[in-house]
Amino acid sequence: MSETPENVLVEHVLDAISDQRLRAGTKLGEQALSDLFSCNRAHVRRALATLAAYQVVDLIPNRGAFVSTPSEDEARDVFQARRAIEATIIRNVVRRADEADIERLRAHLATEDEIRQHNDRPKAIRASRAFHMLLARIGRNSVLEHYLAELTMRTSLIIGLYGSKTASLCSDDEHTRIVQSIIDRDEARAQDMVDHHLRHIEGEIAFGDEAPRVGPLSMIFPPDRATE
C-alpha cells in the first residue's frame, strides 16, 4: 500500500484486529479516528470503505462503522472456506517451491520460535497469519492469495471474539511439519497437515463466550502509534 492517510489508517486498524487490541463490535468513530491519525474525515471514510470491503468492518446507516461481529455460523463458514482454499494453495506450494522459498519458510519458522520463547501472543497471532500468507505467495496464485488475505483477517477477528487467551494458536510443531512435508514434496501429507492445523485452531475457539468490553479508541491507538 502507498502511504496515503487512508492507507496508514487501514494498516493500523488491520494490525490492531490481528493482534486482538481492536475487538469485534468496537465503534470506529470518524471524528475520533480523524483526531488520532491527524487526517480529515474524508480520509477516514475512504479507509472505512476499504475495511468494509475486507469484511472486517460493518457500515451501519445512521449508526456508523463497527468492527464486524461474526456469528458462530459465519465463523465456521470462514474456516471451511480456508480449508478449501488452503488445500489448493499447499498443493501449489509443494509443486512450485524452490530453494529460495524453502529458505524463506525456514527463516519464518525461526522467527516463530523466537516469538514463542517470549510468550508474546499478539505477535504469535500475526506470525501465524504471516506464515499462511507466505505459503500463498509461494503458491504463486494471486487470486487465491487475495481471498486468503481476507479470510485470515476474518479469522483474526473470530479469534479475538471467541478465542481463549490461554489456548494455543497451534502446536509448536504444526508449521514445522507443514514445511517438512513441502521439503519432502509430499503433497498428500502437506494437505493433511494444513487441514489438521486449521481444524485445530477452530477446535480451540470457545463459541458462546462473551467478548471482553473494550476501552476508547485512544487506548487502542495511542498517539505515538497512530502517527508513526
Side-chain angles (χ1 to χ4, degrees):
M1 285 187 177
S2 60
E3 290 299 306
T4 62
E6 53 263 40
N7 285 345
V8 169
L9 197 158
V10 166
E11 289 176 356
H12 275 77
V13 170
L14 292 179
D15 281 348
I17 289 172
S18 185
D19 66 20
Q20 295 181 290
R21 285 182 290 116
L22 187 57
R23 305 298 294 259
T26 305
K27 184 171 184 178
L28 300 173
E30 286 187 11
Q31 190 59 57
L33 290 172
S34 175
D35 293 342
L36 284 167
F37 288 88
S38 301
C39 61
N40 62 48
R41 293 180 69 161
H43 293 135
V44 173
R45 283 191 287 271
R46 286 195 291 270
L48 292 174
T50 298
L51 291 163
Y54 274 101
Q55 297 191 52
V56 296
V57 165
D58 294 327
L59 301 178
I60 303 176
N62 302 318
R63 289 190 59 204
F66 297 80
V67 179
S68 297
T69 304
S71 67
E72 178 178 345
D73 286 344
E74 290 172 323
R76 294 198 184 280
D77 286 348
V78 166
F79 278 101
Q80 184 181 56
R82 281 194 63 174
R83 289 194 297 273
I85 286 175
E86 295 200 53
T88 301
I89 286 174
I90 195 64
R91 182 188 66 197
N92 289 344
V93 172
V94 171
R95 296 178 181 182
R96 299 173 181 174
D98 56 27
E99 285 304 313
D101 294 326
I102 298 298
E103 287 307 310
R104 289 164 68 198
L105 287 167
R106 285 175 169 148
H108 186 86
L109 291 178
T111 298
E112 287 189 345
D113 185 59
E114 183 177 353
I115 290 170
R116 276 195 297 271
Q117 290 179 28
H118 289 86
N119 198 31
D120 190 328
R121 184 174 175 80
K123 282 188 178 180
I125 293 170
R126 289 197 297 272
S128 180
R129 179 174 185 263
F131 175 79
H132 290 269
M133 293 310 303
L134 177 57
L135 291 177
R137 287 191 294 276
I138 293 172
R140 296 173 176 81
N141 183 316
S142 60
V143 176
L144 291 177
E145 183 179 350
H146 171 79
Y147 284 119
L148 186 63
E150 176 188 314
L151 288 170
T152 53
M153 189 54 59
R154 293 175 74 181
T155 302
S156 295
L157 254 186
I158 292 162
I159 293 171
L161 178 61
Y162 296 112
S164 167
K165 284 291 187 182
T166 59
S168 62
L169 295 177
C170 59
S171 298
D172 290 352
D173 60 353
E174 282 185 353
H175 286 178
T176 300
R177 290 179 180 179
I178 291 169
V179 171
Q180 188 58 53
S181 66
I182 295 166
I183 294 170
D184 295 339
R185 305 295 176 181
D186 190 332
E187 187 176 307
R189 183 158 61 90
Q191 288 183 311
D192 285 345
M193 286 301 308
V194 168
D195 185 83
H196 170 80
H197 174 52
L198 293 173
R199 289 182 187 277
H200 178 199
I201 296 173
E202 182 179 3
E204 290 202 335
I205 293 174
F207 293 108
D209 286 358
E210 288 189 15
R213 298 178 67 86
V214 296
L217 291 181
S218 58
M219 297 295 292
I220 298 168
F221 300 111
D224 60 329
R225 296 192 67 162
T227 56
E228 286 176 357

